[in-house]
Amino acid sequence: MSNIGGVGVTPVEENIPPVLLKNYGKWDTHEIPRPGVIKRISETGDVCYTVRLAMPPSRISVATMLELCDLADEYSGGYFRITLRNSFEFIDVIPEKIDELIGKAEAMGFPVGGTKNSLHNIMACPAWIHCNLPATDSPGIAKALGDALIEEFKNHRLPSWLKINIGACANIEEALMADIGIIGVHRDQPIVIEEKMQICERPTVIHSCPTYAIKPKGKHSVTIVAEKCIHCGACTMHCEAILTGDPKLDGYAVAVGGKASNTGSGPDLGRVVIPYLPNNPPRWEEAVNAVVQIMDAWRKDANPDERMREWVNRIGWDRFFKKTGIMVSIKDIDGYIYGSEFARSDLRFGW
Amino acid sequence: MSDTPYMDELSRGPWPSHAKELKRTRYPVEMYEEAMKEKYTQWGHGGMSNVPGLGSGAIARKSRRPDIISHSHLIRVLGTPGNFYKASTFRKICKIADKYGDGSLHVLTTNYNIEICGLMSNEDMKGVTLELNAMGFDVGSAGDAIRNIPDCMGPALCEYAVVDTPRLKHFLTKHYIDDIQFPRFGYKIKTKMSGCPNECGKAVLHGDVGIIGVFRDLPRVDNERLREWAGNGGNIALVCDNCPADAMRWDNRKLVIDGDRCVRCMYCINRVPAIKPGDDRGVAITVGGKMKGKFGPMKGKVVFPFIEITPPDYKELVRAFDRICDVFDEHGLKKERMGDMIQRIGFDKYLEMLGVEVSPMLFSSPRRNTFYHWKAEELGGAV
């Protein structure tokens, strides 16, 4: 058994093309000749063209990956990269063949774009494809959104870049980190299957609950105090005998303004602006409408080079709701641990 | 009439479709179709399984629909440094996925691994791992261990990179491979890296430990090149206006950056090719970023504002990382994320446990809470 694992990852040199190795750390500047194509220029005068494709949300077949490998062999010397937003990037494409490559990729159904002031690739978790806890289907929403916003992906028409992440339950990290995030929310009471409770570690389950809503019951079982539950799914994660989710009640929330970069006002998590929308497969009209509504208000009002969060910080959250036309309700106010931080103390209203 | 009307609808349209992809594999499409019909997932409880002989790397998943499929497991493959791949290498991964799994991949997951999906037995998982090991790849990133340590492309292709993240990833993965493949902690430790404060790796927002390249001196300005750039239509006035710290003064000949104001945010460096990051470079370490867990979503907190990067052994960085893991191992409760642990024991006590030197770089403002517990030894024996 000693010869399994313990290998680590491949050395840096093994998977990068020679031009990158030669110019390692010497890259000087870049240009974007057309959406989806980046020309990297080195101090030594070498250039490296990259071509970026959108990827299907969450799952891709081996057959398609092999076709993309064939394209890489033909046009970029066999090198490619998966970006941190999961788009597929051909590295070091032969400049004369870029148009041909784009033609072939688009014929295969992979749009080219997602650079600079456009919609970047949409990130999604597997959700209904392979998970037990989702309240909504992220790949489905990602696909519906991608279809609706395809022109934003292919063109540089937005004030700044727009990143959309989708997480199907409150545990997925991505959703609060994008300009617009969609997060699955549960609203039902978790069900305890008492006869199965013996297989769970009761202390772990009880202390996993953030609001102390789980109390011991009898010798092996637990009971859940309905009024205290915030539907986070923590108990379900740790115990097979507790089930969360109800098809009639599940849905998703929309958050705005997450940002990782230190430019502008610095990194921050997004804020929930729409507390609940119902699941409506396969085209998720409510999600598409909400995203378009927020995006259009931002596009109309933002200064050049102003990301969603910078725009909101400039105009204030009160004007954000006015300009987007999103309904405000008591559910926008945080009653959890950050409540006092997010209440208003200043009187600088935007009437 | 088709058996899968929902998936057919999702196969249409210009965006790449996961439904179309799933149909090209041996994935049980009824599971996804039923989920959309019922508006509810058809998969059951999952957990961290282990590859025989290896502590972490596999995820087991039961099904709620034994009439369609009984279970389906997956293996997480650690991504390469910078996530660069050679087509010939990736073809081998594809071949392995096709041989053992159902022919579907998740490229990449939210922690930047490749998942080989649809494995049915422990023998399959072991087979996958051994074949991957033979080609220099490894599995991991599941369970209560140090997870995959993703990085940005760094100096391989990016002009902003302050530190060499791909090489750092290679080093850290090799150094901590035992902790990556054996779950010894109370909960997972997700570590993320970004080469510069632009934070493409989102280390502050979702890294239990975030390692971010920073520089301490001012951005370097090449005035001659800047004049040329401005002459060719570069809008330096807009850049000066948008500087969040209002630290830039441009008099049509020379750009002066005010050292008392500059916050090293990278904005001007991103916009103007004549401005480059400074030379006094290192990494900052943040801890406690997360979504899941008791106290809800949290941003990371800076604990080491500047650590020098010293290849090949990265001594200071390893010492800091070890310290963070040790404190978490010692004080974290079972299934308690690092951010929750810090919230529970208090950030000041946590810093004392880490043994870091207190500096103004560690907080955005001093405390406003006037209640404070003084220790007996601080009172000189008066109590």
Side-chain angles (χ1 to χ4, degrees):
Chain A
M1 285 292 178
S2 60
N3 55 355
I4 187 165
V7 172
V9 291
T10 52
V12 181
E13 292 75 15
E14 204 172 298
N15 283 302
I16 65 175
V19 64
L20 264 62
L21 211 52
K22 190 182 154 206
N23 296 291
Y24 202 90
K26 291 183 195 150
W27 297 102
D28 180 50
T29 176
H30 69 269
E31 289 162 11
I32 299 179
R34 54 177 286 182
V37 180
I38 307 178
K39 179 189 181 189
R40 306 262 178 191
I41 306 161
S42 159
E43 281 168 9
T44 58
D46 287 349
V47 292
C48 172
Y49 283 89
T50 64
V51 175
R52 191 177 287 176
L53 315 180
M55 284 276 263
S58 186
R59 286 287 194 271
I60 190 162
S61 69
V62 161
T64 311
M65 257 343 261
L66 287 174
E67 285 168 20
L68 287 172
C69 285
D70 289 342
L71 276 189
D73 267 340
E74 200 177 338
Y75 294 96
S76 65
Y79 291 99
F80 63 88
R81 165 171 193 268
I82 314 289
T83 70
L84 289 180
R85 290 198 65 75
N86 298 2
S87 18
F88 188 98
E89 211 171 57
F90 295 99
I91 305 284
D92 196 19
V93 183
I94 305 156
E96 300 79 48
K97 289 194 177 171
I98 288 178
D99 290 336
E100 206 183 312
L101 171 60
I102 293 175
K104 277 203 181 173
E106 296 208 321
M108 271 173 68
F110 286 91
V112 175
T115 47
K116 220 181 165 183
N117 295 354
S118 62
L119 168 71
H120 289 208
N121 192 31
I122 302 173
M123 293 178 83
C125 65
W128 288 350
I129 298 179
H130 201 262
C131 181
N132 66 329
L133 199 58
T136 186
D137 183 40
S138 347
I141 298 179
K143 166 72 177 148
L145 277 175
D147 284 343
L149 306 178
I150 185 77
E151 287 308 314
E152 309 307 333
F153 180 79
K154 287 178 167 181
N155 296 296
H156 292 162
R157 303 199 297 200
L158 296 170
S160 184
W161 44 85
L162 177 66
K163 296 178 175 176
I164 300 180
N165 289 355
I166 302 161
C169 73
N171 292 318
I172 278 287
E173 288 145 346
E174 298 295 329
L176 282 187
M177 296 171 197
D179 297 301
I180 300 178
I182 290 175
I183 308 144
V185 288
H186 291 289
R187 303 192 299 169
D188 62 313
Q189 280 312 310
I191 301 162
V192 182
I193 306 169
E194 300 211 351
E195 57 278 14
K196 265 174 98 179
M197 263 314 283
Q198 290 205 28
I199 59 172
C200 297
E201 275 180 51
R202 205 163 61 158
T204 308
V205 173
I206 288 172
H207 118 95
S208 74
C209 180
T211 52
Y212 311 102
I214 303 180
K215 308 277 178 223
K217 182 185 171 192
K219 217 166 183 181
H220 296 291
S221 187
V222 294
T223 168
I224 296 173
V225 184
E227 301 79 53
K228 283 187 173 179
C229 181
I230 54 170
H231 314 282
C232 65
C235 47
T236 308
M237 293 283 294
H238 301 320
C239 178
E240 195 179 342
I242 302 180
L243 296 178
T244 302
D246 180 332
K248 286 191 219 62
L249 299 175
D250 288 351
Y252 50 90
V254 180
V256 162
K259 172 173 173 295
S261 163
N262 280 284
T263 56
S265 54
D268 204 356
L269 295 164
R271 307 280 190 257
V272 177
V273 294
I274 301 178
Y276 174 79
L277 289 171
N279 280 332
N280 201 357
R283 279 293 161 190
W284 314 92
E285 286 82 5
E286 294 88 353
V288 175
N289 289 344
V291 169
V292 170
Q293 193 181 358
I294 294 166
M295 188 184 75
D296 282 348
W298 168 61
R299 171 154 53 190
K300 224 169 95 192
D301 201 53
N303 291 335
D305 220 6
E306 198 170 41
R307 269 186 83 171
M308 185 80 73
R309 187 52 182 272
E310 304 307 328
W311 170 62
V312 174
N313 281 354
R314 177 168 59 84
I315 64 172
W317 282 105
D318 44 3
R319 282 201 190 91
F320 167 85
F321 281 101
K322 210 154 90 183
K323 284 183 199 252
T324 52
I326 293 174
M327 294 285 286
V328 190
S329 74
I330 191 75
K331 295 190 171 56
D332 288 314
I333 293 166
D334 197 334
Y336 195 38
I337 52 169
Y338 309 112
S340 64
E341 286 296 315
F342 292 163
R344 186 168 204 147
S345 304
D346 65 276
L347 305 178
R348 300 177 297 175
F349 301 115
W351 293 118
Chain B
M1 175 88 186
S2 159
D3 299 342
T4 55
Y6 285 98
M7 286 181 76
D8 290 348
E9 175 56 35
L10 280 177
S11 300
R12 282 188 270 277
W15 194 262
S17 164
H18 57 292
K20 217 171 12 188
E21 293 299 326
L22 287 177
K23 286 197 166 182
R24 295 189 76 178
T25 68
R26 297 181 294 282
Y27 174 86
V29 286
E30 295 89 346
M31 292 293 276
Y32 190 48
E33 186 66 25
E34 283 289 305
M36 275 195 279
K37 209 155 82 194
E38 310 264 321
K39 298 191 188 181
Y40 192 57
T41 181
Q42 303 298 305
W43 292 97
H45 193 73
M48 307 310 159
S49 174
N50 53 0
V51 184
L54 199 62
S56 100
I59 297 204
R61 173 79 59 215
K62 288 183 190 170
S63 161
R64 281 179 200 167
R65 294 291 301 272
D67 53 320
I68 301 172
I69 191 167
S70 59
H71 62 278
S72 174
H73 306 329
L74 55 88
I75 283 262
R76 284 193 177 147
V77 186
L78 304 177
T80 58
N83 293 318
F84 289 96
Y85 292 95
K86 220 169 13 185
S88 52
T89 316
F90 209 94
R91 275 204 195 89
K92 285 187 206 157
I93 299 180
C94 288
K95 221 173 121 191
I96 296 171
D98 208 31
K99 182 174 161 194
Y100 292 98
D102 63 8
S104 65
L105 294 167
H106 190 177
V107 183
L108 302 164
T109 65
T110 52
N111 209 18
Y112 311 114
N113 313 288
I114 299 172
E115 278 175 1
I116 294 178
C117 312
L119 301 165
M120 297 308 282
S121 71
N122 276 3
E123 286 69 46
D124 283 355
M125 294 199 278
K126 193 174 175 193
V128 170
T129 312
L130 286 173
E131 289 207 20
L132 285 168
N133 285 165
M135 55 185 283
F137 279 75
D138 215 335
V139 304
S141 209
D144 301 334
I146 297 179
R147 297 291 183 94
N148 181 29
I149 307 179
D151 58 336
C152 59
M153 58 186 171
L157 197 54
C158 179
E159 67 254 36
Y160 308 129
V162 175
V163 293
D164 190 347
T165 44
R167 292 225 161 86
L168 197 52
K169 172 183 178 145
H170 182 245
F171 169 80
L172 287 176
T173 311
K174 283 237 165 197
H175 190 86
Y176 289 105
I177 190 73
D178 290 344
D179 287 342
I180 288 172
Q181 293 183 332
F182 185 78
R184 73 169 166 110
F185 300 102
Y187 210 171
K188 60 189 157 193
I189 301 183
K190 287 187 165 186
T191 312
K192 314 255 169 187
M193 285 194 285
S194 293
C196 74
N198 275 336
E199 269 275 60
C200 298
K202 296 185 218 120
V204 168
L205 297 186
H206 67 165
D208 285 309
V209 183
I211 303 174
I212 304 125
V214 290
F215 55 96
R216 281 193 292 196
D217 52 347
L218 288 178
R220 283 182 287 134
V221 184
D222 181 346
N223 275 305
E224 199 179 320
R225 194 171 168 193
L226 182 59
R227 279 195 292 277
E228 199 186 310
W229 180 78
N232 290 335
N235 193 349
I236 184 74
L238 176 74
V239 178
C240 291
D241 266 0
N242 280 354
C243 173
D246 195 17
M248 298 169 73
R249 296 284 172 272
W250 166 249
D251 63 355
N252 288 323
R253 283 201 46 75
K254 208 172 163 230
L255 180 76
V256 179
I257 295 179
D258 185 346
D260 284 342
R261 286 168 176 258
C262 179
V263 292
R264 284 86 172 159
C265 76
M266 300 287 290
Y267 178 74
C268 55
I269 299 169
N270 293 342
R271 291 292 173 272
V272 187
I275 308 179
K276 300 280 172 211
D279 288 323
D280 184 11
R281 298 170 174 197
V283 295
I285 297 190
T286 63
V287 297
K290 69 179 184 78
M291 276 284 283
K292 182 148 104 172
K294 207 158 201 166
F295 295 111
M298 274 180 196
K299 287 191 279 182
K301 302 162 179 63
V302 175
V303 286
F304 292 97
F306 188 85
I307 288 179
E308 244 171 276
I309 287 293
T310 49
D313 59 351
Y314 301 97
K315 212 168 157 192
E316 286 291 298
L317 179 65
V318 168
R319 189 183 298 162
F321 200 93
D322 282 347
R323 196 73 207 116
I324 291 169
C325 292
D326 285 352
V327 171
F328 184 57
D329 195 12
E330 222 168 287
H331 298 272
L333 302 177
K334 194 170 182 209
K335 294 288 171 194
E336 184 183 50
R337 287 290 288 271
M338 199 181 286
D340 293 336
M341 180 195 79
I342 296 169
Q343 186 88 358
R344 175 171 56 80
I345 61 185
F347 191 50
D348 54 343
K349 295 212 175 46
Y350 177 70
L351 290 178
E352 273 180 357
M353 286 173 189
L354 275 187
V356 301
E357 200 183 321
V358 179
S359 80
M361 306 294 173
L362 292 182
F363 46 81
S364 60
S365 89
R367 72 188 159 99
R368 69 177 167 212
N369 183 9
T370 49
F371 307 140
Y372 193 79
H373 172 74
W374 296 88
K375 290 178 205 136
E377 59 266 27
E378 286 172 320
L379 304 177
V383 246

